[in-house]
Amino acid sequence: LACALALAAVATGAVPKSGAGASPVDKDDFRVIIRLAIPHELEDHLQRLASAPGVAEARALPRLGMAVLSCLSEVAQEDLLDQLQEDDAIELAVPDSWVSLDDLSPGSSMSQSEGKSVGPTHARHGPQCSANPACAARGLLTGSCCPAQDGTMLSCCSLHDDLTIVAISTTHDTYVSARDGHIPMAKSRNLNSGTRFEVVNNYDGTISFKTSFGTYLSADDSGWLVADRTAIDNWEKFTVVYNDNATVSLKTFFETYVTAEPSGYVLANRVEPSLWEQFKIIKMQGPLQHLPDDPSLDKLWGMNSWGGNDIDAPEAWKVFTGEVGAGIVVGVIDTGIDYKHPDLSEQMWVNPNEIPGNGIDDDGNGYIDDVHGADFANNDGDPWDDQMHGTHCSGTIAGIGNNGVGVAGVAWRGVRLMALKFLTATGSGRTSDAIKAIDYAVAHGAKVLSNSWGGGGSSPALRVAIEHAEAANVLFVAAAGNEGTDNDEEPHYPSNYEVDNIISVASTTSRGELSSFSCYGNATVHVAAPGSQIYSTVPNNKYKYLSGTSMATPHVSGMAALVWMFRPQLSMQQLKQIVFDSVEPYNTLEGKVVSGGLINAKNALETAWAFTPPKPPTHAPKGIAFEDVDPAVGAYGGTVTITAASDESDVDYYRVYFVSGAGFQLEALGEEIPADGEAEYALEVNGSFSPPEYAKALVAVTGRKSGEMHATLKGPAPHVELVDYGVPDLGPQAVTWSGDANPEKGRIEGTLSVKRAKSEAAISHYNVYWRQASGERGALMGSIPAVGFHEPSCSGDSCALINETVEAVAEAEVHTYSRGAYGPDESATISLSGPAVAVVTRLDTEDYYDTLTIVGKALSGDMSDSVPVELQLNDSTANIEWASDSSIEKTGWVFTLRQTETTVKFRINATKPHGTGFEVVSAYGENEFPPGAKSSDLSEDYDGTSMPPSLAFTPAAIAFEDMDPGAGVVAGNVTVEPAVDVAQGKGFFFRINFADANATPLGDGWKVFANGSSVVQRSIPATKIPAGAVQLIARAGNSLGVGSGRAAAALADMAPHAPGNVTWGGDVDGGFRVVAGDLVVEPAESEVGIQAYVAYWYSGAEKGTEIVRD
């Protein structure tokens, strides 16, 4: 049976604030989608909204001018929605909804008949029963296909035009076979000419079986089945009776049943049907069909069944299978695809601009190694199906046909399946991720989008994304839903959106009836397709039956792809009309779907010939020019200039489209420009605009009433690249030269340390230049990419009450935030870029109600026993939120933040100096921000033959722990870590000294030789600390002296006070020579420098072995 989840949106109750130790709230549970009135201001507003109270994260959807805001709770989500409704800059603000699969979960109700094998059932329109004397004689005067009162099913009242060839399989795994002049037998285990029978539909609703020798199977009055009659009379007529196990029984004129005995004899003498009277009717290839050799074809009733109610796929395949077509990309927006499945692997779309497995985003679309599509639920380039639903749908669309494996899809060949995973292994996903999938598909060339999912209510953001797909001439096929309700009354989304590229699909059974679970709608559901008990591919080289409108939808998607490959010049709207016009009318679908019928692939191919494809102008514009003049990053402004076509005789208008980096049309920019004989045409952009995501160029096309040119990068239409004239507004904060590490005079080598700008929102990179003695800029040395860094910043009413201190630690900054005894109703949000580390060192708040929330984890209560708490902040934008209620107040909290990408290194390999220093300036594209440039002097050219070590050799670190208990005396091991990426020359050493607060060396110190890049140690004997000494320093030295660069470590004299009174509580163990009990130790007067108290055995004046330390 089927595998799926409910369609309704997930209901979310109020989520209380978490106390200490409670499970953190998932910020993805409460999301809001917004759209700005002025889309190009998205980045600015995103920074502000990311800092709003209750917002844990903000992510942009640039193509739509939208963003997704993740809130910390349902209350925060509701408050945010209220605030956004009052914000004039926000055009749209709606909750992000959950959607899920449109198939059936195990245990869902499905009528018994929906699982049965097929036979001649008769819901199709045809001559009415009242027009046929045989039907009228039985009192069947209405409808086109009529059930008899005895429970059997009559054949269609008219002779069927199609020639149907079948084989009759017995329960003994043999086939009924007729040989010329012989009695029919059931011994053959292979199909041959004798096992082929033509099905003849009789006027009275019975059927007859015609052999390949021109005779008919006949049941005589003695109970034998023979094959010697050349005409049809009562003895040659059989009534089909359906059984519950997907078999049929054949009832004779004499009210007996045909039986196949184990011996091979076929008789017609049984009064009641039992096991031997059960047969499977297998449809064989007829003269008007093309059947593939896939072994499971007989399970694909939706493609091909002997009794009808299928989509006539073999009849369509006789005309076209897709193998010689131009090819088409079908986007499967679902749970992903098993792209290694043997029935799908050759059909997978391959991103032509991505190199598989190199770990690089080669095409710059934001996804690494997105070879077959992308995973928008997990934000990566691997759309592997961890559920099975998407793989099942894919097999119906385009399972490889005629490959001797498994199943065949509606389109055997030519389709390229683009895997667009947004549903997780649970079968549910976010509307915002579905929007990303649609965006990606359109930008990368998908022409048909298959959508077997729904629920969650109407989302204006999703509707806008589908409208943009429509503008790109993309068809959107959507499941109608599985609630069994009327979509006219209870809308189901996305299938109910009134967008002209949507086809909404209901599900039918093998009997041609609407599936019991299927939604319907006389005005909102367009067509029906087979969806009950559909056999198709699932992950790990397997196959399975599933049911749902999810399974009906890929039949339509596959057929649409087949027709579009057959007539690639057709427009999307023409294709949609063909799907509607070619349905097979069914009285069971009247009033249930707009078209009143079941899709039919044969009819669709025939109908496609009747359509005249669009005829665009033959003359293209001669050129297009555009230069952005808006300095805001991400905003474009200016005039688009179109050079007219050389001949406008077939041109009515010009139009400009955005085109993706992959070369595919996106939406239009502005309106049509009438062609009126001018040499040039100007498209004035009213204000600024933000290009859709993935847009890389503008293309100018010509059009007329009969059609419009395609906007692509490779066609005759001219294009111009979109270059953002963005200018940064901040520069680097500092630049430091490490010193020359090259011992050769006249050559330098070393590292520039660049402290990033406070915010890199408008910075793409930093350019590094030589700087001349005159102060002028020299040659470009290279560049440093920006990473979206921004320092912590506080927003909210209570920021002024929070104390912040900043300390520089090892080329990074540690921000310490503290709030002491706090008041009621405080709120503040501190936002920053990750990666970073937050460490909570003190927290005392009202449990449950007053919370410090760090990237979704709410902390509250008295945490004195559990601090420090360290949390990793890995997101590009992370928020820390403080909120108190109006009741009890406590003593507050302290936490630190350390960002790991504050400073970046720029390596300068051995080179001849081309200036006296360096200059670093921020840039966006080709535009720089000179006022924010920072510089550093080269200082000296290190000559290893005549100079002590330069600053480049300064030790990276020094560490020391005093092991001498005497006051004013230290002893122990000093550890020195050499400079990174610097080759220590022969004879290099480190000089270790006591030093005062000004780092002035005191005394001769100690010397330890360097050992390449390895850490070295020097044992310090018991030594009296010189007056004024507060630290130990280490400097690099050689035979010519000691360098000026130093590493330092604070000097901590371990002079512990003795513990106070020590009391033994007495032995509480009853065993001989065994003691146990409490040793009570009063602490020392001062514990400075004390790490532990250690207890030893004691005998007289001698200290024995250690017992315990605490």
Side-chain angles (χ1 to χ4, degrees):
L1 290 177
C3 67
L5 299 176
L7 295 173
V10 176
T12 53
V15 178
K17 298 178 181 178
S18 301
S23 298
V25 175
D26 186 347
K27 58 182 169 57
D28 282 338
D29 283 343
F30 312 104
R31 303 205 295 196
V32 173
I33 302 176
I34 66 164
R35 184 171 66 197
L36 267 66
I38 305 176
H40 74 263
E41 295 180 355
L42 177 63
E43 190 64 39
D44 293 338
H45 285 280
L46 201 63
Q47 292 289 337
R48 174 175 63 84
L49 293 169
S51 302
V55 175
E57 184 179 65
R59 293 183 180 177
L61 300 175
R63 179 170 185 261
L64 304 176
M66 296 182 181
V68 180
L69 310 178
S70 298
C71 299
L72 296 167
S73 67
E74 184 180 24
V75 173
Q77 182 189 44
E78 293 173 352
D79 290 345
L80 180 64
L81 285 168
D82 290 341
Q83 296 170 21
L84 294 175
Q85 297 297 336
E86 304 298 324
D87 192 334
D88 292 338
I90 305 300
E91 180 180 83
L92 168 74
V94 295
D96 192 5
S97 54
W98 284 100
V99 295
S100 49
L101 305 176
D102 270 334
D103 65 355
L104 295 180
S105 57
S108 297
S109 62
M110 183 171 69
S111 66
Q112 193 175 29
S113 65
E114 290 178 32
K116 294 189 176 183
S117 102
V118 297
T121 60
H122 316 293
R124 297 190 185 197
H125 283 288
Q128 294 294 301
C129 290
S130 57
N132 187 284
C135 294
R138 288 175 176 259
L140 307 174
L141 302 179
T142 59
S144 59
C145 301
C146 315
Q149 295 177 2
D150 61 0
T152 62
M153 186 68 71
L154 294 178
S155 208
C156 196
C157 295
S158 65
L159 290 173
H160 201 279
D161 295 331
D162 295 336
L163 183 63
T164 303
I165 306 298
V166 302
I168 306 172
S169 173
T170 75
T171 56
H172 312 298
D173 292 328
T174 59
Y175 296 98
V176 175
S177 176
R179 296 194 305 168
D180 190 17
H182 291 77
I183 296 174
M185 299 291 286
K187 291 184 175 181
S188 177
R189 295 189 179 275
N190 298 308
L191 296 171
N192 52 57
S193 60
T195 62
R196 296 169 61 88
F197 298 90
E198 177 187 339
V199 176
V200 179
N201 296 293
N202 301 313
Y203 282 107
D204 60 2
T206 62
I207 64 172
S208 298
F209 295 97
K210 188 176 183 179
T211 73
S212 58
F213 308 104
T215 59
Y216 293 90
L217 294 184
S218 177
D220 63 21
D221 54 1
S222 63
W224 285 92
L225 193 70
V226 296
D228 57 358
R229 305 294 177 90
T230 58
I232 297 176
D233 203 343
N234 287 337
W235 289 10
E236 289 74 46
K237 295 178 179 181
F238 301 89
T239 299
V240 180
V241 178
Y242 290 88
N243 303 312
D244 290 337
N245 61 351
T247 64
V248 298
S249 295
L250 301 175
K251 191 176 184 179
T252 73
F253 171 76
F254 302 104
E255 300 293 322
T256 59
Y257 290 89
V258 176
T259 181
E261 297 185 339
S263 62
Y265 287 105
V266 184
L267 306 175
N269 60 359
R270 299 299 172 91
V271 178
E272 295 291 338
S274 187
L275 182 63
W276 295 356
E277 291 73 50
Q278 297 176 0
F279 301 91
K280 285 187 176 181
I281 309 298
I282 302 171
K283 192 172 181 181
M284 308 296 292
Q285 180 167 308
L288 301 179
Q289 299 173 323
H290 183 188
L291 296 182
D293 62 4
D294 301 85
S296 295
L297 183 66
D298 62 328
K299 299 179 180 179
L300 308 183
W301 73 262
M303 305 282 187
N304 180 42
S305 65
W306 74 283
N309 308 322
D310 56 52
I311 68 169
D312 279 349
E315 289 78 6
W317 295 335
K318 183 70 174 179
V319 178
F320 183 67
T321 63
E323 292 185 80
V324 295
I328 192 170
V329 178
V330 176
V332 183
I333 302 179
D334 212 287
T335 62
I337 301 177
D338 176 359
Y339 43 77
K340 297 180 181 179
H341 198 290
D343 244 350
L344 298 174
S345 59
E346 294 180 24
Q347 302 283 67
M348 294 305 301
W349 173 73
V350 176
N351 186 344
N353 300 312
E354 195 76 15
I355 300 173
N358 68 349
I360 299 172
D361 180 14
D362 301 288
D363 58 1
N365 66 1
Y367 297 94
I368 295 172
D369 290 337
D370 54 323
V371 178
H372 299 303
D375 179 351
F376 306 95
N378 298 299
N379 199 37
D380 61 49
D382 185 6
W384 181 261
D385 187 358
D386 54 4
Q387 208 270 352
M388 76 173 163
H389 190 268
T391 301
H392 194 279
C393 294
S394 299
T396 299
I397 296 169
I400 303 171
N402 217 34
N403 65 341
V405 176
V407 299
V410 181
W412 285 10
R413 297 283 183 174
V415 166
R416 292 294 172 258
L417 296 166
M418 181 186 291
L420 303 161
K421 177 179 174 64
F422 90 101
L423 299 171
T424 67
T426 67
S428 62
R430 283 290 191 175
T431 299
S432 55
D433 293 331
I435 292 171
K436 295 176 187 176
I438 295 169
D439 261 5
Y440 180 100
V442 173
H444 291 82
K447 300 305 295 179
V448 177
L449 301 182
S450 192
N451 300 272
S452 294
W453 51 274
S458 178
S459 166
L462 179 57
R463 177 180 53 77
V464 168
I466 298 172
E467 288 172 346
H468 286 177
E470 178 196 11
N473 210 34
V474 175
L475 186 68
F476 192 93
V477 185
N482 294 339
E483 289 81 16
T485 53
D486 187 345
N487 285 357
D488 293 354
E489 301 295 331
E490 300 179 33
H492 172 276
Y493 297 100
S495 62
N496 263 62
Y497 290 123
E498 295 182 11
V499 185
D500 286 341
N501 63 334
I502 291 178
I503 297 179
S504 176
V505 186
S507 169
T508 59
T509 71
S510 60
R511 293 193 174 189
E513 302 162 345
L514 189 73
S515 301
S516 62
F517 53 77
S518 179
C519 290
Y520 54 91
N522 191 40
T524 55
V525 180
H526 302 125
V527 297
S532 291
Q533 287 295 88
I534 302 302
Y535 192 73
S536 187
T537 49
V538 293
N540 301 316
N541 303 346
K542 296 180 181 179
Y543 301 82
K544 191 171 184 177
Y545 285 102
L546 295 178
S547 295
T549 53
S550 280
M551 285 61 250
T553 299
H555 282 88
V556 179
S557 302
M559 189 187 79
L562 187 71
V563 174
W564 221 342
M565 287 190 290
F566 186 58
R567 296 293 308 278
Q569 300 86 0
L570 297 177
S571 71
M572 179 268 295
Q573 288 298 334
Q574 287 179 313
L575 178 66
K576 179 178 176 180
Q577 193 62 49
I578 289 168
V579 174
F580 286 18
D581 291 351
S582 62
V583 299
E584 187 78 15
Y586 274 59
N587 66 345
T588 56
L589 299 174
E590 286 184 351
K592 300 296 184 182
V593 298
V594 175
S595 64
L598 183 76
I599 64 165
N600 187 282
K602 174 180 72 72
N603 293 350
L605 293 181
E606 293 173 353
T607 304
W609 278 118
F611 277 75
T612 301
K615 294 182 179 179
T618 58
H619 298 94
K622 294 173 65 177
I624 180 174
F626 173 72
E627 183 175 353
D628 178 26
V629 296
D630 192 321
V633 172
Y636 290 73
T639 301
V640 181
T641 303
I642 302 170
T643 304
S646 58
D647 183 348
E648 288 188 338
S649 60
D650 61 348
V651 179
D652 290 342
Y653 64 87
Y654 296 89
R655 195 159 199 182
V656 177
Y657 284 93
F658 294 104
V659 177
S660 70
F664 297 99
Q665 177 181 317
L666 303 176
E667 57 257 37
L669 174 64
E671 303 297 326
E672 297 175 1
I673 303 174
D676 56 10
E678 299 291 334
E680 289 186 342
Y681 299 90
L683 175 62
E684 298 288 348
V685 179
N686 185 17
S688 295
F689 65 89
S690 293
E693 191 172 7
Y694 304 111
K696 298 297 182 183
L698 295 175
V699 173
V701 301
T702 54
R704 56 183 178 179
K705 290 182 179 180
S706 61
E708 185 179 88
M709 300 185 80
H710 292 299
T712 68
L713 295 181
K714 296 182 179 180
H719 71 272
V720 59
E721 289 188 14
L722 278 169
V723 180
D724 188 1
Y725 175 66
V727 180
D729 52 4
L730 293 172
Q733 297 185 66
V735 176
T736 305
W737 168 241
S738 66
D740 180 17
N742 191 294
E744 182 180 352
K745 186 173 180 60
R747 295 180 69 81
I748 66 163
E749 180 179 357
T751 302
L752 273 179
S753 295
V754 179
K755 187 177 181 182
R756 297 183 183 275
K758 290 180 177 293
S759 173
E760 291 182 335
I763 299 173
S764 61
H765 62 282
Y766 301 88
N767 287 329
V768 182
Y769 294 91
W770 287 104
R771 187 167 180 269
Q772 307 301 325
S774 62
E776 295 181 356
R777 181 183 295 173
L780 178 68
M781 302 176 68
S783 63
I784 301 168
V787 294
F789 175 85
H790 64 90
E791 289 185 346
S793 61
C794 187
S795 62
D797 296 337
S798 304
C799 287
L801 304 175
I802 297 173
N803 183 54
E804 178 189 11
T805 60
V806 182
E807 179 185 4
V809 178
E811 296 189 343
E813 289 184 345
V814 176
H815 294 251
T816 300
Y817 292 89
S818 62
R819 179 72 179 108
Y822 58 86
D825 300 319
E826 293 187 1
S827 66
T829 299
I830 297 167
S831 63
L832 68 154
S833 62
V837 178
V839 180
V840 180
T841 57
R842 186 175 72 84
L843 190 136
D844 177 30
T845 67
E846 183 186 6
D847 194 16
Y848 191 84
Y849 296 104
D850 301 342
T851 58
L852 184 68
T853 304
I854 302 178
V855 289
K857 183 176 180 61
L859 306 174
S860 68
D862 184 357
M863 296 184 62
S864 57
D865 292 336
S866 54
V867 293
V869 176
E870 182 174 305
L871 297 168
Q872 298 292 327
L873 286 65
N874 296 319
D875 292 338
S876 56
T877 298
N879 283 345
I880 298 175
E881 184 182 55
W882 159 242
S884 67
D885 68 359
S886 58
S887 57
I888 302 170
E889 292 88 42
K890 293 294 189 72
T891 61
W893 43 260
V894 178
F895 69 87
T896 62
L897 288 174
R898 177 171 179 168
Q899 294 172 291
T900 58
E901 295 190 355
T902 305
T903 301
V904 62
K905 304 288 188 181
F906 181 81
R907 182 69 182 172
I908 300 174
N909 295 322
T911 183
K912 181 181 178 180
H914 295 282
T916 58
F918 312 97
E919 183 176 305
V920 181
V921 61
S922 59
Y924 183 85
E926 296 181 357
N927 304 315
E928 296 181 339
F929 182 57
K934 289 289 187 292
S935 60
S936 178
D937 291 335
L938 184 58
S939 62
E940 60 186 7
D941 176 11
Y942 172 56
D943 181 359
T945 64
S946 62
M947 300 169 61
S950 69
L951 291 173
F953 296 91
T954 302
I958 179 176
F960 173 71
E961 181 180 355
D962 180 21
M963 302 303 293
D964 190 294
V969 178
V970 295
N973 290 325
V974 177
T975 301
V976 181
E977 182 180 341
V980 180
D981 296 331
V982 174
Q984 309 285 350
K986 184 178 180 181
F988 265 72
F989 60 85
F990 298 107
R991 173 67 64 182
I992 302 166
N993 291 92
F994 293 109
D996 60 18
N998 297 319
T1000 303
L1002 303 174
D1004 295 334
W1006 301 268
K1007 178 179 178 182
V1008 57
F1009 283 99
N1011 185 21
S1013 60
S1014 300
V1015 174
V1016 294
Q1017 283 190 346
R1018 177 66 161 86
S1019 178
I1020 305 297
T1023 305
K1024 184 177 181 181
I1025 301 174
V1030 296
Q1031 57 184 330
L1032 280 175
I1033 61 172
R1035 296 168 294 162
N1038 60 17
S1039 60
L1040 299 170
V1042 177
S1044 59
R1046 59 189 178 273
L1051 190 60
D1053 180 15
M1054 188 185 77
H1057 291 73
N1061 293 327
V1062 178
T1063 306
W1064 168 242
D1067 180 18
V1068 297
D1069 184 271
F1072 179 64
R1073 297 186 62 82
V1074 177
V1075 296
D1078 292 330
L1079 190 66
V1080 180
V1081 181
E1082 292 182 0
E1085 180 180 347
S1086 171
E1087 290 189 330
V1088 175
I1090 298 178
Q1091 295 181 337
Y1093 295 99
V1094 185
Y1096 296 86
W1097 290 111
Y1098 174 75
S1099 177
E1102 295 183 5
K1103 182 171 66 174
T1105 58
E1106 180 180 321
I1107 306 172
V1108 65
R1109 63 174 57 212
D1110 195 5

